[in-house]
Amino acid sequence: MRDRIIFALQLLFTLIVAAFLAVPAALSIAAGVTVNYFRGIQSGVTLQWVAQVLDLYAGTIMASIAIALGTLLVTLVVGVPAAYALYVRGGRLARLVEEIITLPVAIPGLALALGLLLSYGGFGNFRRSWLFILAGHVIFTMPFMVRSVMAIFASIDVKSLDEGAASLGAAPWRRFVDVIVPNAAPGILAGSLMVVTLSLGEFNLTWMLHTPLTKTLPVGLADSYASMRLEVASAYTLIFFVMIIPLLVAMQWIGERGSAK
Amino acid sequence: MDRREGECEVTMMIRHGAALKVENCGKTFADGTCALARATLDIAQSETLVLLGPSGCGKTTLLRIVAGLEMPDAGGRVLFDGKDLTRQPIEKRNVGMVFQSYALFPNMTVAENIGYGLRIRGVSRLERAARVAELITLTNLGGLEHRRIDQLSGGQRQRVALARAVAIRPSVLLLDEPLTALDAALRERLRGELNGLLRTLGITAIYVTHDQAEAMELGDRIVVMRKGAIAQVGTPREIYFTPADRFVAEFVGAANIIEAPIESGDLILPGGRQPVGSTGSRARAVAMVRPETIRIVDADKASLTGIVDSIRFAGDRQRIIVRDAAAIPLALDVPHTIHVRAGERIGLSIAADSIRLLPAEG
Ligand SMILES: Nc1ncnc2c1ncn2[C@@H]1O[C@H](COP(=O)(O)OP(=O)(O)O)[C@@H](O)[C@H]1O
Ligand SMILES: [Mg+2]
């Protein structure tokens, strides 16, 4: 009896997931390759919408990729050494800094963007440049990088490794390069994938920060939803899926490999 | 320390390493834990000093202060060959450290782990390979050079950690409970190997353990610690035969601690009188007797008698518990050739000079 209730609940859950996640995703993908969505799939399958999107919005796609890679670079170069310093130093100051870095996770992207605009919106050149969006993305994604790296530090007892290398005469930078980074690689990789995924998909904050000349893919997507025919918007979504799904799969795969160890 | 000196044949008995001085070093952690009361210690060149005490008594903290991993409280100093290194971080002290967790690098092979310190020092690839090979032989790791760390057994890891620490010809070798993570049989064997190695290398070493058998075997001198303070410093024999207080007596080996009054040089016990080798009287004395120093004699001729309570087989000897001789049951260690039965009245003979009067506490 109990088993059947559990089975029924599982089935219900699966159906809800299917109804609200899988079906909409599948439909919008289908719409992106349908000649005329209102006439249905029998109107024919085409890549013309995809081509049109690539033609119209190539800029936003390239911009998103560039911003994601830039964000990744900054979070790697700043976040990983910061996580190392925070972890090895320990103490109250380190915990405080960690809290501050983590804060953006809890703050809505809109509020974060408003804060940036209030503080730096007056710096016209900065405001108008891609760097403004990059800054927003870095703030938004940094906690995920730092957290992911700190988590692996805890699981590989990085403090001992660090002290071990120090006892053999290695200065902090040398220890970081020779011992810390190689052993933390899976966590750094997981953090990197997360940063790229989040940056590619970020909308709230970017929408507030963007100018007509600095649009990322999700902002362009919103544009197309508002002003283009449904098939174009769907094709755009399709392109987004094609970019993001491999990253999600890779993330899942790394996570599973990590927990299998 | 002259690096050249280390080039000598390792199998010769040579004095190596620095003479150490720990001066007035205490440690209060940021959270207010006073882990170590101010302590001063001299460690001679080539000496093996053991820090012995129960878990949490501050051994690791003291070792980490010497290593440069913890800063002593203001006023404390650490000197290597007379040079004040208190403000130098560990990487500038040329110490070899074997951590309790070994802290081996999982991203490197056995040989790379052992050679890492030399790589940092800019030793050429060729020289490094030679030195690593030498250490692989010395620590019986032949054939495992290219293994990864997670492919090694506990004992092998311990030896890699040791080889890695020794490879850099450190001024002092610091070992934090290097055998604790291993099972009993392996621990015993590696203890012997480690002892041989320390003698062979002739290097100044500080060895932390909570195991008194390890301390006895390995230490030139032992520092017994209790609750962050030094209870006694001495050779293993001094610590064993003339413990400074009840804590040391009970922590190092088995001990009967007898509380009784003394009258004209005799302990007055329920089972008779026992001379203690000093004259005078005291209302209350604390005396220590090691179980193996008590002999069984004919009850009729003995001045101290008791009743056999139980007999425990202990492999190489038997332990006999005797009641009614003193206020507490006395433990005796005697060979198997002695036959007694439970309930039998026996005489006890204790040489006066094997009784150690301890300061009464409180
Ligand atoms: N980093 C630290 N912060 C606060 N307390 C500590 C720290 N390290 C050790 N202690 C405390 O100091 C005392 C001595 O610890 P330790 O030197 O590790 O003892 P042992 O090595 O003899 O077991 C313990 O009570 C321990 O909890
Ligand atoms: Mg310890």
Side-chain angles (χ1 to χ4, degrees), chain B residues 199-277:
Chain B
R199 305 296 143 203
T200 310
L201 295 171
I203 189 180
T204 313
I206 304 182
Y207 187 103
V208 165
T209 181
H210 66 263
D211 178 339
Q212 47 105 8
E214 249 172 73
M216 296 280 172
E217 181 168 342
L218 293 165
D220 291 318
R221 279 188 308 151
I222 297 175
V223 176
V224 184
M225 296 180 62
R226 176 197 192 187
K227 292 186 183 156
I230 294 179
Q232 187 174 6
V233 183
T235 64
R237 277 165 206 282
E238 284 165 359
I239 298 280
Y240 190 76
F241 292 116
T242 57
D245 59 24
R246 181 175 187 150
F247 170 77
V248 177
E250 288 184 319
F251 192 74
V252 180
N256 295 295
I257 307 287
I258 303 167
E259 284 182 48
I262 294 183
E263 259 174 34
S264 49
D266 285 352
L267 277 172
I268 307 302
L269 299 169
R273 298 170 76 94
Q274 169 62 46
V276 293

Side-chain angles (χ1 to χ4, degrees), chain A residues 35-102:
Chain A
V35 173
N36 185 328
Y37 182 68
F38 296 101
R39 296 220 323 269
I41 202 91
Q42 56 273 44
S43 64
V45 172
T46 176
L47 283 178
Q48 75 177 100
W49 308 123
V50 173
Q52 193 176 335
V53 168
L54 287 177
D55 191 36
L56 280 172
Y57 292 104
T60 67
I61 295 170
M62 293 324 282
S64 266
I65 292 173
I67 294 265
L69 292 179
T71 306
L72 174 62
L73 189 73
V74 177
T75 51
L76 279 177
V77 168
V78 177
V80 181
Y84 170 58
L86 289 178
Y87 195 87
V88 172
R89 277 290 132 72
R92 215 173 310 156
L93 183 69
R95 265 202 303 281
L96 188 71
V97 173
E98 196 192 331
E99 289 299 327
I100 292 172
I101 292 185
T102 314

Side-chain angles (χ1 to χ4, degrees), chain B residues 56 59-61 100 176-177 208:
Chain B
K59 308 179 295 288
T60 297
T61 303
Q100 193 165 358
D176 193 357
E177 312 221 12
V208 165

Side-chain angles (χ1 to χ4, degrees), chain B residues 118-131:
Chain B
L118 301 171
R119 207 175 101 205
I120 292 293
R121 282 163 177 71
V123 175
S124 76
R125 186 177 292 268
L126 219 63
E127 237 178 291
R128 220 157 69 205
R131 176 76 176 146

Side-chain angles (χ1 to χ4, degrees), chain A residues 131-148:
Chain A
L131 286 180
F132 201 52
I133 292 180
L134 182 71
H137 280 213
V138 166
I139 292 168
F140 173 63
T141 55
M142 188 64 89
F144 295 93
M145 178 60 90
V146 171
R147 276 290 158 111
S148 170

Side-chain angles (χ1 to χ4, degrees), chain B residues 136-362:
Chain B
I136 294 261
T137 314
L138 192 68
T139 50
N140 279 324
L141 287 166
L144 302 178
E145 292 86 341
H146 303 295
R147 288 269 184 97
R148 281 207 328 269
I149 299 308
D150 59 11
Q151 298 168 317
L152 300 181
S153 72
Q156 289 164 345
R157 283 176 204 204
Q158 195 276 330
R159 281 181 276 185
V160 176
L162 188 65
R164 187 179 75 171
V166 168
I168 58 172
R169 302 183 205 285
S171 304
V172 56
L173 188 59
L174 306 172
L175 306 106
D176 193 357
E177 312 221 12
L179 303 180
T180 301
L182 308 171
D183 60 62
L186 188 60
R187 196 156 62 219
E188 187 121 349
R189 210 186 73 220
L190 284 184
R191 187 164 82 207
E193 280 184 24
L194 200 56
N195 194 20
L197 194 75
L198 287 176
R199 305 296 143 203
T200 310
L201 295 171
I203 189 180
T204 313
I206 304 182
Y207 187 103
V208 165
T209 181
H210 66 263
D211 178 339
Q212 47 105 8
E214 249 172 73
M216 296 280 172
E217 181 168 342
L218 293 165
D220 291 318
R221 279 188 308 151
I222 297 175
V223 176
V224 184
M225 296 180 62
R226 176 197 192 187
K227 292 186 183 156
I230 294 179
Q232 187 174 6
V233 183
T235 64
R237 277 165 206 282
E238 284 165 359
I239 298 280
Y240 190 76
F241 292 116
T242 57
D245 59 24
R246 181 175 187 150
F247 170 77
V248 177
E250 288 184 319
F251 192 74
V252 180
N256 295 295
I257 307 287
I258 303 167
E259 284 182 48
I262 294 183
E263 259 174 34
S264 49
D266 285 352
L267 277 172
I268 307 302
L269 299 169
R273 298 170 76 94
Q274 169 62 46
V276 293
S278 71
T279 54
S281 303
R282 250 188 264 178
R284 181 170 161 265
V286 180
M288 180 209 70
V289 188
R290 295 286 181 198
E292 71 277 13
T293 59
I294 308 178
R295 287 188 304 117
I296 295 177
V297 294
D298 195 342
D300 298 334
K301 292 174 193 146
S303 63
L304 179 63
T305 62
I307 295 180
V308 175
D309 187 77
S310 62
I311 302 158
R312 281 183 229 153
F313 180 66
D316 51 346
R317 63 200 149 74
Q318 53 186 338
R319 169 157 295 183
I320 297 173
I321 307 295
V322 175
R323 63 171 193 267
D324 298 343
I328 52 147
L330 291 183
L332 284 62
D333 284 346
V334 297
H336 296 298
T337 46
I338 307 245
H339 296 287
V340 292
R341 278 169 291 108
E344 187 180 344
R345 175 168 290 279
I346 56 170
L348 303 176
S349 161
I350 309 168
D353 63 4
S354 60
I355 293 187
R356 165 93 177 153
L357 292 180
L358 302 173
E361 283 138 72

Side-chain angles (χ1 to χ4, degrees), chain A residues 189-255:
Chain A
L189 187 59
S192 301
L193 284 170
M194 198 174 313
V195 165
V196 170
T197 311
L198 287 172
S199 170
L200 281 180
E202 208 302 317
F203 174 72
N204 288 347
L205 185 140
T206 321
W207 184 74
M208 284 279 280
L209 297 182
H210 87 278
T211 65
L213 294 175
T214 56
K215 267 192 220 168
T216 62
L217 195 157
V219 175
L221 208 52
D223 265 12
S224 74
Y225 290 166
S227 58
M228 291 287 168
R229 41 183 306 170
L230 190 58
E231 290 83 351
V232 173
S234 298
Y236 206 170
T237 312
L238 174 63
I239 291 171
F240 180 64
F241 273 143
V242 167
M243 287 168 65
I244 211 97
I245 284 177
L247 290 170
L248 291 174
V249 171
M251 227 152 73
Q252 186 80 23
W253 182 69
I254 286 173

